[in-house]
Amino acid sequence: MGSCAAVRALRAVVWVAALYPVLFRARPVEALAANWGTRALHPLPGDVTVRLLRDNGFDKAKLFEADPAALRALGHTGIQVMVGLPNELLASVAGSVGAAEQWVLQNVSSYISKYGVDIRSVAVGNEPFLKSYKGKFEAATLPAVQNLQAALVKAGLGRQVHVTVPLNADVYESLDGRPSAGDFRPDIQGLMVNLVRFLLDNGGFLTINIYPFLSLYADANFPVEYAYFPAPGSPPSQASVQDGNVLYTNVFDANYDTLIAALDKHGLGAITVVVGEIGWPTDGDKNANAANAQRFNQGLFDRINAGKGTPRRSQMPDVYVFALLDEDAKSIEPGNFERHWGVFNYDGTPKYGLRLANGRSIVPARGVRYLSRQWCVLRPEASPSDPALAGAVSYACQYADCTSLGAGSSCGNLDVRSNISYAFNQYFQSANQQKNACAFNNLSIITTTDPSQGTCRFEIMIDTGRHDLTVASAAAAMTVATALLLLPLLSLVI
């Protein structure tokens, strides 16, 4: 998830029907599904993450790419896996059945046969029809789906592994705001019909991402209550939408059913529709906090556990919660909140309480190893008005995650000294607490006293020394390592 394109697309469509829809087949009440993103400098080790999933009743996991460490960890666990083929590979897979066969061999067949990974589906691309992509991936998507399907059949996996395409809700619209008036976007209507028809004819399914949070982010006048699931017995909000005899009381139901209406209009109502992403971030924006996230996700989990669907489809679909963990190396182009979607913190500790099936509470990750209990902070005798500090803080935040320092965020109320210390510590931790990573022109010092205060948590990173880094995290770690080599030159540029 998470491109600025998605936010722009959100602004362009009627808010009742343009946020982000969702669905799938009915599931056991204790079964949950989650997106496992791996864009982290110090990722939670795969074995620990898998145990976290299982301890909390998640039986399905969605990966955005064929991450080797995550896939190996998922082997022989009983967790069903959806693995993603990134947009960047659509053209090559669309242009050659051989390329599709090679991708399936390397990223599906080998993990099933060698590691016992229960791969059940391949997500071809990620929101490839976004308006803001200006058609970049439209021509390649259906051919890529067709070639992937052929490659799976040739590999003997045609019945076990199904093909899907995760889509943004801007692929459909309702001109008058009623879900029953839903239809596909005119410029891609033919493409959507052909794509869904192929998926339906070949045992695939459709995947839709839904983000009520983004409606608040994109529209200051959006009725807040409509973003949440109403509490049982509570009166509907004034933003509720009347559609014939049906009253829609929340964004999820309205968006979901707008898509179903579009499918029905074209004789495609038999397709299974999965909710690929839905959640609420906890930091990086005034609307992103633990209280709001708890309210939204508890309502979502209650719906999943109850199996309660929408007016047009009575059974709750498969819903992949976005996300399992925070990712401090993700792009923040869409907004600072992008790194804070996790139900759990980066280290697998719960951000807030959630009731699961039968009243069980979520539990933290077990077996996490941390770096030493030490932090890098502004030296006590250093003056916050030192002219070198602005450049030092900017440098630190260029290579580490400082998104919690923004207005309305968890560390947005720090005083100047603490603000500087937070930036220094983020860099220090990202660099594995190497001593020279706390050497900002003699303005910083290492301390063993925890500087956390209020809602602001000064992190200590996970010790990944004895674990394999993912490809993404290894690349990010290399960026920080490169920055460390430049650190002695800092005094020359600030």
Side-chain angles (χ1 to χ4, degrees):
M1 154 317 138
S3 67
C4 56
V7 176
R8 290 194 295 268
L10 186 68
R11 295 191 180 104
V13 190
V14 179
W15 60 259
V16 172
L19 307 185
Y20 299 72
V22 214
L23 304 157
F24 199 28
R25 59 186 174 275
R27 319 176 56 238
V29 294
E30 292 198 32
L32 296 170
N35 286 272
W36 176 359
T38 57
R39 300 286 177 178
L41 291 175
H42 291 72
L44 195 66
D47 57 338
V48 176
T49 305
V50 165
R51 190 159 55 238
L52 177 67
L53 286 165
R54 299 180 72 177
D55 285 349
N56 288 282
F58 289 92
D59 72 338
K60 296 188 178 184
K62 176 168 165 275
L63 303 174
F64 290 92
E65 54 200 346
D67 182 85
L71 283 169
R72 288 195 297 267
L74 286 162
H76 302 292
T77 63
I79 295 174
Q80 298 178 13
V81 179
M82 181 190 298
V83 63
L85 182 146
N87 288 340
E88 293 70 26
L89 298 181
L90 287 174
S92 61
V93 171
S96 166
V97 176
E101 292 173 353
Q102 189 64 25
W103 190 91
V104 167
L105 175 65
Q106 293 178 352
N107 301 291
V108 181
S109 301
S110 62
Y111 285 105
I112 292 174
S113 60
K114 293 180 182 178
Y115 300 99
V117 183
D118 189 7
I119 297 177
R120 295 295 185 96
S121 55
V122 173
V124 181
N126 187 36
E127 302 184 342
F129 301 158
L130 272 174
K131 286 183 181 178
S132 53
Y133 286 155
K134 302 185 185 305
K136 180 178 180 181
F137 302 112
E138 289 176 11
T141 300
L142 180 53
V145 168
Q146 293 168 330
N147 286 348
L148 251 298
Q149 178 65 33
L152 288 170
V153 171
K154 184 174 181 179
L157 298 172
R159 295 194 176 190
Q160 175 183 340
V161 182
H162 303 284
V163 175
T164 187
V165 179
L167 296 171
N168 182 285
D170 77 345
V171 300
Y172 60 87
E173 60 189 11
S174 172
L175 297 181
D176 65 9
R178 294 177 301 116
S180 62
D183 201 352
F184 297 126
R185 210 171 72 212
D187 62 304
I188 58 168
Q189 186 177 99
L191 175 57
M192 281 296 303
V193 170
N194 291 336
L195 172 63
V196 177
R197 174 59 63 190
F198 181 86
L199 293 174
L200 185 58
D201 291 345
N202 289 274
F205 57 94
L206 192 61
T207 300
I208 295 292
N209 301 337
I210 208 170
Y211 281 102
F213 167 79
L214 292 183
S215 57
L216 306 185
Y217 182 75
D219 182 0
N221 297 316
F222 183 87
V224 176
E225 290 300 309
Y226 195 64
Y228 299 99
F229 297 93
S234 64
S237 72
Q238 294 181 349
S240 297
V241 174
Q242 192 73 46
D243 188 358
N245 296 325
V246 178
L247 182 67
Y248 284 92
T249 61
N250 63 86
V251 167
F252 177 91
D253 288 349
N255 276 270
Y256 180 103
D257 280 3
T258 302
L259 172 62
I260 300 307
L263 292 167
D264 288 342
K265 275 186 175 65
H266 297 278
L268 302 169
I271 189 78
T272 295
V273 185
V274 176
V275 182
E277 300 174 29
I278 184 171
W280 201 283
T282 55
D283 214 347
D285 181 79
K286 65 179 181 179
N287 294 307
N289 54 61
N292 288 350
Q294 180 183 40
R295 179 183 178 188
F296 180 83
N297 281 328
Q298 188 62 67
L300 176 65
F301 280 31
D302 288 347
R303 287 281 297 268
I304 294 171
N305 291 330
K308 182 178 181 295
T310 68
R312 283 182 173 263
R313 287 202 176 174
S314 60
Q315 290 185 316
M316 192 67 170
D318 266 2
V319 176
Y320 288 81
V321 177
F322 192 85
L324 185 69
L325 301 161
D326 282 355
E327 300 174 79
D328 65 350
K330 285 190 71 177
S331 168
I332 58 172
E333 189 177 3
N336 286 342
F337 56 79
E338 195 61 25
R339 294 175 177 173
H340 303 280
W341 287 95
V343 171
F344 297 88
N345 291 301
Y346 73 100
D347 59 354
T349 54
K351 295 180 178 180
Y352 41 82
L354 280 176
R355 297 183 312 277
L356 305 177
N358 301 320
R360 294 185 302 115
S361 297
I362 59 171
V363 296
R366 295 180 285 140
V368 182
R369 295 192 300 270
Y370 297 88
L371 299 175
S372 301
R373 282 187 57 82
Q374 57 180 359
W375 297 262
C376 178
V377 297
L378 180 65
R379 186 178 291 275
E381 60 270 24
S383 170
S385 59
D386 189 309
L389 280 173
V393 168
S394 176
Y395 185 89
C397 292
Q398 180 181 353
Y399 295 103
D401 178 29
C402 294
T403 54
S404 294
L405 290 174
S409 300
S410 62
C411 299
N413 293 323
L414 296 179
D415 61 23
V416 175
R417 297 191 66 88
S418 296
N419 192 300
I420 296 168
S421 292
Y422 184 89
F424 284 177
N425 184 64
Q426 286 295 95
Y427 183 86
F428 177 63
Q429 301 294 339
S430 296
N432 293 310
Q433 297 186 353
Q434 294 183 44
K435 188 175 181 180
N436 63 339
C438 188
F440 292 93
N441 290 326
N442 206 35
L443 295 169
S444 53
I445 189 173
I446 295 174
T447 179
T448 56
T449 300
D450 188 350
S452 300
Q453 51 184 284
T455 60
C456 186
R457 176 182 176 186
F458 279 61
E459 309 285 8
I460 294 177
M461 291 295 178
I462 295 170
D463 181 359
T464 57
R466 285 177 285 172
H467 292 271
D468 291 333
L469 291 175
T470 64
V471 174
S473 60
M478 183 63 70
T479 299
V480 174
T482 302
L484 274 175
L485 295 175
L486 300 175
L487 193 58
L489 302 177
L490 185 60
S491 60
L492 299 179
V493 296
I494 63 175

